[in-house]
Amino acid sequence: MDSPICLVKNSDGELCLEPEAIDYLMGLKQKVVVVAVVGLYRTGKSYLMNKLAQRKRGFALGATIQSKTKGIWMWCVPHPEKTDHTLVLLDTEGLGDVEKGDSKNDAWIFSLAILLSSTLVYNSRGTIDNDAVEKLQYVNELTEMIKVKSTTDDEEEGEGTQFAQFFPNFVWTVRDFTLQLEIDGREITPDQYLENSLQLKKGTSKKINDYNLPRQCIRNFFPSRKCFVFPFPTTPDNMHRLDSMDEAELSESFREVADTFCRFIFQESRMKTVIGGHTLTGEMLGHLVTTYVETIAKGNVPCLGNAVLAMAKIENQAAVDEGLAVYQKGMEDVKALFPVDINQLSENQLRSETEATQAFMKRSFKDENGEFLKALAEAIGNHTADLVKQNKDASEKKCEALLENLSAQMDHWMKEGRYATPGGYELYRNHHDNMVEQYRAEPNKGVGAEEFLELFLKGKSAESNSILQADKQLTKKDKKLQAEMKKTAELEQEKAASKEKQAEMEHNIENNRISQENYLKEMEEKMEKERKQQQQEFNRTLDRRMQEQKYLLEMGHKEKAELMRQEIEEIKKNNQLERDANTQNQKALLELFKQQAEEQNKKMGILIEELKNRPQIPPCNVM
């Protein structure tokens, strides 16, 4: 993307999507790292985004008191350090724009930035004082603007833990900073400066509660925090031409902080994930932003859980389509060789099916009931059945052509009456047996060769009987003997065709067994991967809550620390219950797939038994 484009348009306080930007995201298959910047208008947010894009110009800077960015603008660039990843930069409309005068609209912009990003940069100017913290008022409104789960339980929705588990990392950038980083004469880091500014005061008065509320919200919702303090980039007289100045013209201290900031974002900003730890591509991000903005436009509150489920449904269907496409492509080579034998067809089928399942598993997520995996298996099964029919038809066509060619001389002699002479039947049988021998010696006939031969020979049965009965060289006894031998040969051919069919069915059963084992193996690996992702996500959240509890104890907030301890215990309990429920669901799903496989094999086994129990060939009575 050469330059930024508008992603979410803000027109007269109404948010709407820009189709061009959504189309671009929908075509972006790479995984994404999403960095959004928010903050008061005219504080230099766009300049930071241009630095991250490693371009001098891009997002509009502006040199007046008027806000330039409206809505949310997006710039997708190759990630500087992660191969095959895209860095998505979101520059948001300045908060507190006096021309707009709509705090509700500001809150939605802020909420969208949180919902879409993996790193949120909050940009302010001057110092992190009480005024700066209070201007981050929208943090206090998050529980009203965003829901984690679709529930009516206000207490559950009010828990900062749920938000902390799914919210982005938080980076506070302080612009035009002129103070010394010192506390009581001791030099501190920017991170320590931020943490000191977010310390809670002791007491329960209204004044203290008002002071603590925004700080407690920031601590709860954004447990991962980082701070950068930027000095003035240049003199006040040159600020209006900041976007056109060469790097060398900027102050060295500003450039050092800017470079450190960019390195941190490039190295530490994680890929965008959703509930369950699933990593998003640009296409999936497109689905998310569409769901969120459309929800807001309807006057409803965006729900992370519902949005992820809606996205999962779309993505899982796409995973089915992709898996089927992989299977179809994998079968093209063998399809070009039709007819082929059952072994060659099965070998390609199993390999392509495994590749298709892996492609599906790589893309799918939250397919909790196995609905979409079943859909893929059914689609592959239908395509396989079609290929089996095509191969059977190609085999029949080749076998018919071969038999027609091999029997052409016999047909010619039949018309000439060469078999309608004394001794003609023996000549006919010799030619007949030679034709069958040549047919069986012909390679690459595909499947059902004996079955096609059986049908062909049955078609010639009347012709053979006619020649036998017309042969005046044979006695009545000879004719009876030859008829019995002919009957035995026909039954032997029927047996060969039945044996061939039985072998094919047994091969299919083994093929199904291997296929089902592969499905179960891929499912178990996918489930285990998702379990690990969820546990890692939970462990990060728990660790941060425990750190916060430790901080509260150290600061003497015993009551808050006790509430945090109780919250941690509740988190552990709920996590264990959720893990147990997921384990049971997964076991049930695996068992269902096993039962379905057993039922299929049982049906095939019954058909094989029916073939085995066909009447045996009676002994030939030559007397």
Side-chain angles (χ1 to χ4, degrees):
M1 185 180 286
D2 295 331
S3 60
I5 58 176
C6 185
L7 174 63
V8 180
K9 185 179 179 181
N10 189 8
S11 179
D12 297 326
E14 298 293 329
L15 302 182
C16 62
L17 297 165
E18 285 288 2
E20 180 186 357
I22 296 299
D23 289 344
Y24 185 90
L25 282 177
M26 291 302 187
L28 189 58
K29 308 302 180 184
Q30 291 184 338
K31 293 180 179 179
V32 292
V33 175
V34 187
V35 180
V37 62
V38 297
L40 300 181
Y41 77 108
R42 304 303 305 121
T43 53
K45 301 187 307 299
S46 299
Y47 181 83
L48 286 181
M49 292 290 102
N50 289 342
K51 286 290 292 182
L52 291 175
Q54 300 180 318
R55 305 282 184 87
K56 183 180 291 186
R57 293 182 179 85
F59 291 110
L61 301 186
T64 70
I65 62 170
Q66 189 176 33
S67 174
K68 288 292 182 181
T69 305
K70 297 296 182 183
I72 300 178
W73 284 67
M74 176 181 73
W75 200 354
C76 300
V77 297
H79 197 286
E81 298 192 10
K82 290 184 173 69
T83 306
D84 297 328
H85 286 66
T86 295
L87 179 63
V88 180
L89 302 172
L90 301 179
D91 188 15
T92 66
E93 180 173 338
L95 307 175
D97 187 349
V98 294
E99 294 183 3
K100 181 168 58 176
D102 184 356
S103 62
K104 187 73 170 179
N105 187 260
D106 280 348
W108 282 129
I109 294 288
F110 184 82
S111 299
L112 279 173
I114 288 174
L115 289 167
L116 299 176
S117 64
S118 47
T119 294
L120 181 74
V121 179
Y122 179 68
N123 194 62
S124 68
R125 178 174 287 166
T127 61
I128 303 179
D129 54 17
N130 191 50
D131 183 60
V133 173
E134 288 183 346
K135 283 180 178 175
L136 194 52
Q137 60 181 301
Y138 308 103
V139 175
N140 304 345
E141 302 174 17
L142 284 177
T143 56
E144 299 175 12
M145 310 301 291
I146 302 170
K147 294 172 67 178
V148 175
K149 297 179 180 178
S150 179
T151 176
T152 57
D153 188 342
D154 293 334
E155 284 190 6
E156 184 180 354
E157 286 300 330
E159 292 289 354
T161 303
Q162 293 188 41
F163 291 91
Q165 192 171 352
F166 310 122
F167 275 25
N169 292 336
F170 183 78
V171 178
W172 193 321
T173 53
V174 185
R175 310 295 290 277
D176 305 338
F177 186 78
T178 58
L179 302 178
Q180 292 294 317
L181 283 174
E182 291 182 357
I183 296 179
D184 298 330
R186 178 176 58 87
E187 188 176 340
I188 60 172
T189 65
D191 291 343
Q192 290 171 330
Y193 174 53
L194 173 60
E195 294 308 309
N196 183 70
S197 302
L198 297 179
Q199 282 190 10
L200 306 179
K201 288 184 177 181
K202 295 180 182 179
T204 58
S205 68
K206 183 179 186 305
K207 185 177 180 180
I208 290 177
N209 286 337
D210 291 344
Y211 176 89
N212 285 342
L213 179 59
R215 288 164 175 78
Q216 189 67 62
C217 286
I218 293 171
R219 301 184 71 89
N220 284 344
F221 297 156
F222 302 108
S224 175
R225 300 181 291 271
K226 183 73 177 174
C227 182
F228 293 90
V229 293
F230 289 76
F232 276 98
T234 184
T235 63
D237 292 342
N238 286 327
M239 288 297 291
H240 70 281
R241 64 183 191 91
L242 189 60
D243 61 337
S244 62
M245 293 177 69
D246 292 332
E247 285 288 310
E249 296 181 76
L250 302 176
S251 72
E252 184 178 355
S253 57
F254 178 85
R255 281 185 280 133
E256 286 178 356
V257 176
D259 290 343
T260 304
F261 167 77
C262 289
R263 281 198 304 273
F264 175 82
I265 295 297
F266 295 153
Q267 295 172 7
E268 301 299 327
S269 290
R270 64 180 187 265
M271 291 175 286
K272 175 62 180 174
T273 59
V274 291
I275 296 173
H278 193 80
T279 305
L280 299 194
T281 62
E283 181 180 11
M284 297 165 73
L285 182 66
H287 290 309
L288 264 192
V289 67
T290 299
T291 300
Y292 289 144
V293 174
E294 288 179 349
T295 300
I296 292 170
K298 293 176 183 177
N300 298 323
V301 177
C303 173
L304 274 73
N306 289 348
V308 171
L309 287 175
M311 181 182 66
K313 187 173 183 179
I314 296 171
E315 191 65 11
N316 286 338
Q317 184 55 56
V320 172
D321 296 339
E322 182 176 329
L324 180 59
V326 168
Y327 181 77
Q328 291 172 332
K329 183 178 180 181
M331 295 299 288
E332 283 300 314
D333 289 342
V334 71
K335 183 179 177 181
L337 301 175
F338 282 176
V340 295
D341 62 35
I342 188 67
N343 292 321
Q344 190 173 357
L345 185 62
S346 296
E347 181 181 338
N348 280 268
Q349 178 190 343
L350 286 173
R351 185 187 67 250
S352 299
E353 190 173 43
T354 299
E355 292 172 353
T357 306
Q358 289 172 346
F360 170 85
M361 292 297 185
K362 185 177 180 180
R363 185 165 185 176
S364 68
F365 71 105
K366 294 189 77 65
D367 184 20
E368 294 171 353
N369 297 321
E371 172 188 353
F372 292 93
L373 180 58
K374 293 175 191 174
L376 175 64
E378 183 177 345
I380 287 177
N382 291 336
H383 188 68
T384 301
D386 185 56
L387 289 176
V388 168
K389 184 179 184 305
Q390 290 182 45
N391 188 50
K392 183 87 170 179
D393 292 343
S395 300
E396 182 177 7
K397 186 176 180 180
K398 182 169 184 177
C399 290
E400 285 180 347
L402 176 62
L403 288 167
E404 183 178 346
N405 181 58
L406 292 174
S407 64
Q409 186 65 40
M410 292 180 66
D411 291 341
H412 179 67
W413 282 21
M414 187 71 184
K415 290 179 181 178
E416 289 186 344
R418 294 196 182 188
Y419 299 126
T421 58
Y425 183 72
E426 182 178 0
L427 179 64
Y428 179 86
R429 289 303 305 174
N430 288 337
H431 288 169
H432 173 278
D433 294 345
N434 185 55
M435 177 194 67
V436 171
E437 185 178 344
Q438 289 183 63
Y439 172 81
R440 286 178 170 157
E442 184 72 21
N444 304 321
K445 293 189 293 293
V447 295
E450 293 297 330
E451 179 185 357
F452 300 134
L453 178 60
E454 179 190 6
L455 293 173
F456 177 81
L457 295 180
K458 281 184 177 179
K460 295 289 186 180
S461 182
E463 176 183 280
S464 175
N465 286 332
S466 176
I467 294 171
L468 174 62
Q469 296 305 320
D471 193 337
K472 296 180 179 179
Q473 182 175 310
L474 297 174
T475 64
K476 187 176 181 180
K477 184 178 179 180
D478 290 335
K479 290 180 180 180
K480 182 179 180 181
L481 178 61
Q482 289 296 328
E484 290 178 349
M485 291 175 64
K486 177 175 173 295
K487 181 64 175 177
T488 298
E490 289 175 352
L491 291 173
E492 286 287 356
Q493 181 58 48
E494 184 179 334
K495 182 180 179 181
S498 179
K499 186 177 181 181
E500 178 187 61
K501 187 69 175 176
Q502 179 180 329
E504 182 179 337
M505 294 177 72
E506 288 174 346
H507 189 94
N508 287 336
I509 287 180
E510 178 63 13
N511 213 39
N512 283 338
R513 184 189 66 78
I514 296 173
S515 176
Q516 292 296 335
E517 283 182 357
N518 288 341
Y519 270 116
L520 292 171
K521 177 175 175 289
E522 293 291 337
M523 283 177 65
E524 288 174 343
E525 289 179 357
K526 174 78 169 180
M527 290 172 178
E528 181 60 26
K529 181 181 178 182
E530 289 183 346
R531 276 197 294 267
K532 287 181 178 179
Q533 286 177 335
Q534 291 167 359
Q535 191 59 37
Q536 288 171 357
E537 195 175 70
F538 169 76
N539 289 342
R540 282 196 300 268
T541 302
L542 186 63
D543 182 60
R544 289 167 178 173
R545 305 313 288 165
M546 293 177 73
Q547 289 177 19
E548 186 66 15
Q549 183 198 21
K550 182 180 178 182
Y551 161 78
L552 291 171
L553 284 171
E554 290 174 348
M555 299 304 295
H557 299 285
K558 293 183 179 180
E559 291 184 3
K560 286 186 171 64
E562 174 58 23
L563 289 174
M564 182 65 69
R565 186 195 66 78
Q566 294 175 12
E567 181 183 326
I568 290 172
E569 291 303 315
E570 189 67 21
I571 292 171
K572 290 180 179 178
K573 179 183 176 182
N574 290 338
N575 178 66
Q576 189 59 52
L577 289 173
E578 188 173 345
R579 287 180 63 187
D580 291 344
N582 287 340
T583 299
Q584 290 300 319
N585 289 339
Q586 290 169 355
K587 285 182 178 179
L589 183 58
L590 290 171
E591 187 61 33
L592 178 61
F593 268 79
K594 288 178 182 178
Q595 289 177 0
Q596 290 175 342
E598 290 173 359
E599 288 174 4
Q600 289 179 1
N601 290 338
K602 187 176 180 180
K603 290 178 181 178
M604 295 287 285
I606 292 173
L607 292 175
I608 290 175
E609 287 302 314
E610 289 177 354
L611 284 172
K612 288 180 178 179
N613 294 330
R614 282 186 176 183
Q616 296 295 312
I617 300 171
C620 179
N621 182 11
V622 296
M623 297 301 293

